[in-house]
Amino acid sequence: MPGRRGLPAASSVVALAAVGWTLVGAGQSADAVGAVAPRAAVAHAVTVGAGTTGTAAAGTVWTGTWSVSPQSGGASFNQQTLRQIVRTSIAGTSVRVQISNVFGSQPLAISDVHVAQRSSGSATTSGTDHTVTFAGQSSTTIPAGGLVASDAIAVSVPALSDVAVSIYLPQPTGASTYHQQGTATNYIASGDVSGNSTLSGAQTTGSYYFLTSLDVQNTAAVGSVVALGASITDGVASATDSNHRWPNYLADRLVSSGRDVGVLNQGISGNRLLVDGAGQSAINRFGRDVLTQPGAKWVIFSDDPLNDLGSTSPQPTAGQLITGAQQLISAAHQSGLKFLCSTLTPYQGAGYWNQSGENAREAYNSFVRGSGSGCDAVVDQDNATHDPSNPTRYLPAYDSGDHLHPNEAGMQAIANAVDLNLFGPPGSPVVSLRAHADNMIVTAENAGAAPLIANRTWIQTWEMFDLITNPDGSVSLRAHANNMIVCADNAGASPLIANRTAIGPWESFDLINNPDGSVSFRAHANGDIVTAENAGASPLIANRTAIGPWEEFDLIYD
């Protein structure tokens, strides 16, 4: 449909240079912590392709919707296709992928990259596959230490949805840049099968390789929040493919509240604040993993110091941890980011707990809660998860069993401890509707000039609506196609159409939650249920007294 898609942006190949940050190692004093380079300094340390700025083409605004933090030492590949499943946080009308060779020792050749909506397993949804290009070409080579951002792909992705990114690797890669703890099932297939809807005989892996980011263009987005941490942030002890890491639960809350804020998970299992080990330390990776994230406005610093406390060579002092955190706070503020400090969760009973570590944890938490910390806000993970009668241990209902990691209920408790008001006032969530009558998406046809009808396979502007909650508890729909309110016209006798500027009874609907998770709409205009008439072949109209498949819709948060 001409005129409805965004213009592609030029790709950028970024060569990452060493910034020269100093580590705190065994025996070093707190004064030895090196200053973290702020965003401006990091920007000077990269080179970009012609016609680009640091992260995107001029005039293009990108916001991260998914990410993982890169690590060194992954498997090598040759003449194989990787299909990797990522979970969006916010929606977008265009997307791009970022592919990293930051820890590679040789150039990385990639080709035939595709994005598509995932249906289940390795399968993609018919009609959603799109080829990805890099400066207009279907293949590119990323230098050792480099990062490539693709051209803009003019497709819409819903919020909280699964996107499959397929990459063909035509030549030996050497040891890969990867993210070990994926807590997700990804797929490896022989040959170039990126465009196939299913991958027959594919091997599975729980890690991510080369792919580090999915970014979106979203005019309503106010920015992204980066969750920087270790295994608790990375989702250890949550079920594979459940998307029940605490950053996922935070994304669920933000979307439900109507806030367009991307959530980027930069957790690395085993990571530490002060010393390299499982990935670079938080101090050494802060510039890359936080300050250069598209749209980053907030960072939540989580559980890294717990792993520092688990070290006995020697165990760092609370003062060293506090000094390290202060370095991150200063770097964030120099780059214009808000720094949200987290208290450290209880861990008595874990294998590396000891009383000196407990004392340091409590001193660190006192610093975080104190008025002079420099933190812009506090996420009190400790208070949200500990047992009130035994505060050095998890509440049993939140303990995964190892006394170090929360279970999924504990992950939800951590997400619930984040004050959503830190990210601005709530808005009306953007939604789309999939009709059970024909499994098609409802559109405000002809830019809203024609009645609503369920006849689309992909979500773009005409298929997006603001879900407005009215004072009486009813809802209304504002079509993005023309910014008009959907009306059950002629007191419900005519099909639904987006043609009103104000909300009255004809524009109000009761939102009914059905047992199967779908929703239905009862029009205040006449008290009847909205149906996708004629099995979806005719426009939506409010003329039913009972709910069946034609009256059921999946509510998709975009």
Side-chain angles (χ1 to χ4, degrees):
M1 193 168 298
R4 297 183 63 199
R5 298 186 183 273
L7 296 175
S11 67
S12 61
V13 178
V14 180
L16 298 173
V19 182
W21 301 326
T22 304
L23 297 176
V24 172
Q28 287 183 284
S29 69
D31 294 336
V33 182
V36 180
R39 192 197 307 252
V42 173
H44 290 309
V46 301
T47 58
V48 294
T52 66
T53 63
T55 57
T60 302
V61 177
W62 292 101
T63 303
T65 189
W66 171 90
S67 72
V68 290
S69 184
Q71 298 172 255
S72 62
S76 60
F77 300 91
N78 182 26
Q79 298 183 357
Q80 292 169 292
T81 296
L82 301 177
R83 176 162 294 172
Q84 303 180 86
I85 311 302
V86 308
R87 183 72 167 181
T88 63
S89 52
I90 60 170
T93 54
S94 291
V95 303
R96 72 173 184 183
V97 298
Q98 294 193 48
I99 301 173
S100 176
N101 193 28
V102 64
F103 293 115
S105 60
Q106 64 188 56
L108 173 67
I110 60 171
S111 65
D112 198 23
V113 179
H114 289 246
V115 297
Q117 286 291 116
R118 192 269 289 267
S119 57
S120 63
S122 70
T124 59
T125 302
S126 177
T128 68
D129 183 84
H130 291 76
T131 301
V132 179
T133 58
F134 303 86
Q137 303 301 309
S138 62
S139 62
T140 192
T141 299
I142 309 170
L147 171 77
V148 65
S150 77
D151 300 332
I153 310 149
V155 296
S156 295
V157 294
L160 310 179
S161 67
D162 290 340
V163 175
V165 180
S166 303
I167 305 169
Y168 178 57
L169 304 165
Q171 300 171 14
T173 64
S176 56
T177 296
Y178 84 134
H179 183 81
Q180 183 179 29
Q181 177 69 37
T183 321
T185 303
N186 294 314
Y187 303 88
I188 306 168
S190 299
D192 182 2
V193 291
S194 288
N196 290 17
S197 59
T198 59
L199 302 182
S200 177
Q203 298 176 331
T204 60
T205 177
S207 301
Y208 287 96
Y209 296 91
F210 305 113
L211 179 68
T212 55
S213 300
L214 183 70
D215 307 326
V216 296
Q217 294 177 17
N218 180 331
T219 57
V222 296
S224 58
V225 53
V226 183
L228 179 68
S231 54
I232 293 174
T233 302
D234 212 5
V236 168
S238 66
T240 298
D241 298 324
S242 67
N243 296 305
H244 287 170
R245 313 164 190 88
W246 73 255
N248 293 116
Y249 283 128
L250 176 58
D252 294 344
R253 293 185 63 215
L254 286 164
V255 168
S256 296
S257 75
R259 291 172 172 89
D260 283 290
V261 176
V263 179
L264 303 178
N265 191 331
Q266 292 292 300
I268 297 178
S269 181
N271 198 231
R272 294 167 66 178
L273 168 60
L274 303 179
V275 181
D276 285 358
Q280 293 174 306
S281 69
I283 286 178
N284 275 4
R285 66 190 181 97
F286 194 75
R288 180 194 63 232
D289 291 355
V290 176
L291 300 183
T292 61
Q293 293 295 336
K297 288 189 177 180
W298 305 270
V299 55
I300 300 175
F301 182 51
S302 184
D303 50 313
D304 273 17
L306 282 174
N307 289 325
D308 291 270
L309 293 177
S311 172
T312 56
S313 56
Q315 188 177 68
T317 66
Q320 287 176 306
L321 295 178
I322 290 167
T323 299
Q326 287 172 327
Q327 296 287 350
L328 300 186
I329 293 169
S330 177
H333 288 168
Q334 289 181 59
S335 296
L337 275 68
K338 297 289 188 181
F339 196 96
L340 315 182
C341 299
S342 294
T343 54
L344 301 179
T345 50
Y347 73 112
Q348 186 175 1
Y352 61 49
W353 184 90
N354 55 45
Q355 189 59 52
S356 62
E358 178 61 34
N359 294 341
R361 182 185 78 94
E362 292 175 8
Y364 181 88
N365 285 354
S366 294
F367 156 75
V368 166
R369 295 180 178 119
S371 59
S373 67
C375 305
D376 294 294
V378 175
V379 179
D380 203 337
Q381 296 191 22
D382 172 41
N383 189 58
T385 59
H386 74 225
D387 185 344
S389 63
N390 196 356
T392 61
R393 292 180 177 271
Y394 275 113
L395 189 72
Y398 294 158
D399 193 340
S400 67
D402 66 6
H403 313 302
L404 177 63
H405 300 99
N407 58 21
E408 291 182 355
M411 297 278 188
Q412 181 72 72
I414 289 173
N416 290 347
V418 181
D419 181 1
L420 299 190
N421 291 318
L422 296 169
F423 310 107
S428 298
V430 179
V431 300
S432 297
L433 303 173
R434 181 188 292 113
H436 283 201
D438 58 3
N439 205 37
M440 303 289 272
I441 303 295
V442 173
T443 185
E445 189 70 284
N446 196 18
L452 274 59
I453 189 170
N455 68 2
R456 292 297 195 275
T457 59
W458 192 248
I459 298 170
Q460 298 184 48
T461 306
W462 293 4
E463 294 76 48
M464 295 179 178
F465 303 86
D466 294 328
L467 183 65
I468 301 168
T469 301
N470 300 319
D472 65 354
S474 66
V475 299
S476 297
L477 296 169
R478 181 189 294 114
H480 283 205
N482 58 4
N483 206 37
M484 303 289 275
I485 305 295
V486 172
C487 176
D489 217 353
N490 193 20
S494 298
L496 272 60
I497 188 168
N499 67 357
R500 292 296 199 275
T501 59
I503 296 172
W506 292 7
E507 295 76 40
S508 300
F509 302 84
D510 293 328
L511 184 66
I512 302 168
N513 293 302
N514 299 318
D516 64 355
S518 67
V519 299
S520 298
F521 296 88
R522 180 186 292 109
H524 284 204
N526 58 6
D528 285 345
I529 306 296
V530 172
T531 185
E533 188 72 283
N534 194 20
S538 298
L540 273 61
I541 189 169
N543 68 1
R544 292 296 195 276
T545 57
I547 296 173
W550 292 9
E551 295 75 45
E552 296 174 343
F553 302 85
D554 293 327
L555 192 63
I556 302 169
Y557 286 94
D558 296 330

